[in-house]
Amino acid sequence: RSGLLLLAANPIGRGLLRNLVGYWPLSEASGSRLDRSVNGLTLTDNATVTGNPGPSAKLPLASQFTALNSEYLSRADEALLSIGASSCELIFWVYADSSAVMRFFSKQAAPPNLEYYCQWVPADTGVYFGAWHSGVLTVVKSGTDLATGAWTMIDAYFDNVALVKGIALNGAAFVTAAAGSDTIDDGAAQFTVGSINGTGEFANGRIAGLSFWKRVLTAKERSYMRNGGAGRTFFPGRGFR
């Protein structure tokens, strides 16, 4: 009962249900990864993604990806996972086991099925968030690099009113870049976590607490989700706490 009272008294955590497309804690030891939002966008396990400890007591478990095994998670194309003429924001936690090019999430296949992605390129000392607008790719790169052997919260957004993309690591100031238009291209690619379309750039490390909204969060909501580096636990129908 006390937990319910806390949730009811937490307008920020409950407000984060608004325009929430999906929330995947990625806490299963193996098999499908459940979407805890009302949309039920379960991710399919490919090549046996396992589990390992997460970043905190709020996010105690994470999915463990091994690049040598070509492991990744996927969901077939559907309208909810295409951004189109909406804004969006995605927040998730990463623990890289090695320094290598990795796709954390992607909705990208062969042209014309090019939508959006998030990619680490160690040689460029940063994490990219990119999307296609009328066939033209625009990207933004984080101002700080990802570290191996440590948890990092990545926050990436597209604002279709201000026409900008932004990305930040661990609550740092956002780096922003102009977007090509107010609409992200809509293709037929599957949504993947841990690879580019299941064909390459496989993640090597852990990913936890993937949240996907079709709106831009406020500064208070972003700070709340970071929670001083602890993240948040999601309660279906009630929000984050």
Side-chain angles (χ1 to χ4, degrees):
R1 187 173 179 180
S2 61
L4 291 175
L5 290 173
L6 283 170
L7 284 165
N10 187 348
I12 297 178
R14 191 168 183 84
L16 284 161
L17 290 171
R18 183 169 65 88
N19 297 108
L20 181 68
V21 172
Y23 176 73
W24 300 270
L26 304 178
S27 57
E28 294 85 353
S30 63
S32 299
R33 267 53 173 188
L34 298 179
D35 171 18
R36 302 296 180 177
S37 82
V38 297
N39 293 317
L41 302 173
T42 298
L43 300 176
T44 298
D45 179 7
N46 300 274
T48 313
V49 178
T50 57
N52 249 330
S56 71
K58 292 283 188 180
L59 295 165
L61 297 171
S63 285
Q64 173 71 53
F65 298 82
T66 302
L68 286 175
N69 297 338
S70 302
E71 299 170 4
Y72 68 101
L73 304 171
S74 65
R75 176 84 185 184
D77 174 51
E78 57 183 274
L80 281 170
L81 294 169
S82 291
I83 295 162
S86 301
S87 295
C88 72
E89 188 149 351
L90 293 98
I91 292 177
F92 59 102
W93 296 79
V94 171
Y95 184 105
D97 288 335
S98 61
S99 180
V101 175
M102 304 180 196
R103 293 277 173 141
F104 299 125
F105 63 78
S106 176
K107 201 167 186 305
Q108 173 189 355
N113 299 306
L114 305 169
E115 298 187 41
Y116 57 88
Y117 69 88
C118 186
Q119 173 195 43
W120 182 31
V121 183
D124 294 348
T125 63
V127 177
Y128 287 95
F129 175 51
W132 283 263
H133 307 265
S134 299
V136 178
L137 173 65
T138 64
V139 301
V140 61
K141 183 171 75 75
S142 63
T144 55
D145 199 8
L146 192 69
T148 58
W151 281 102
T152 299
M153 189 189 91
I154 300 177
D155 187 343
Y157 75 88
F158 163 62
D159 187 331
N160 81 325
V161 176
L163 301 183
V164 296
K165 294 181 178 75
I167 191 167
L169 273 55
N170 283 335
F174 276 88
V175 178
T176 60
S181 73
D182 64 356
T183 302
I184 292 177
D185 294 349
D186 185 353
Q190 63 181 335
F191 176 75
T192 54
V193 177
S195 80
I196 172 173
N197 199 37
T199 62
E201 297 187 11
F202 293 98
N204 199 54
R206 287 172 256 177
I207 303 177
L210 173 58
S211 309
F212 183 167
W213 294 267
K214 279 192 178 176
R215 68 178 177 93
V216 174
L217 303 189
T218 67
K220 284 186 178 179
E221 287 173 326
R222 291 166 177 159
S223 177
Y224 181 86
M225 286 299 292
R226 174 158 168 72
N227 192 24
R232 294 288 177 181
T233 302
F234 182 76
F235 294 82
R238 297 171 184 154
F240 293 86
R241 183 163 64 88

